[in-house]
Amino acid sequence: MKLASTAGLLTFASFLITRLGNVPINGRIKEWARTSAPVDHVEILRRWELFNNLRTLTALTAFALLIVLSLSRLPPGRRRPQPTPA
């Protein structure tokens, strides 16, 4: 249950990062197509990339936790046999 909760929280964090970080910056970038890029456009793009990396990390970690959780819930007959020590 703890892994599932953590995965859920990471997924929600990924959503918040997207909604509050990337989406507003995407709106500003769309304006550049009609006008021109602002003087600090490099800093804006750096912040967008930071948010993107963070949301990717949270989403991948949540996915990995769900994989671990699902593999740990397999019935004993479906698990891989563990090698016996020699």
Side-chain angles (χ1 to χ4, degrees):
M1 182 68 171
K2 188 173 183 171
L3 284 178
S5 299
T6 303
L9 287 174
L10 286 169
T11 303
F12 185 64
S14 181
F15 168 76
L16 288 178
I17 292 166
T18 301
R19 184 66 187 101
L20 302 175
N22 291 99
V23 171
I25 295 174
N26 287 344
R28 291 174 67 184
I29 292 172
K30 284 181 185 177
E31 293 175 11
W32 301 351
R34 287 179 269 143
T35 60
S36 63
V39 176
D40 65 339
H41 72 280
V42 173
E43 176 59 26
I44 293 169
L45 292 174
R46 188 198 64 75
R47 272 196 4 250
W48 185 92
E49 189 172 0
L50 175 70
F51 286 131
N52 188 57
N53 290 339
L54 188 58
R55 78 175 168 171
T56 301
L57 180 65
T58 57
L60 285 175
T61 304
F63 185 61
L65 288 176
L66 289 176
I67 290 172
V68 167
L69 180 66
S70 67
L71 291 177
S72 70
R73 302 280 182 193
L74 287 176
R78 298 281 311 222
R79 292 187 187 151
R80 257 188 174 171
Q82 298 296 321
T84 56

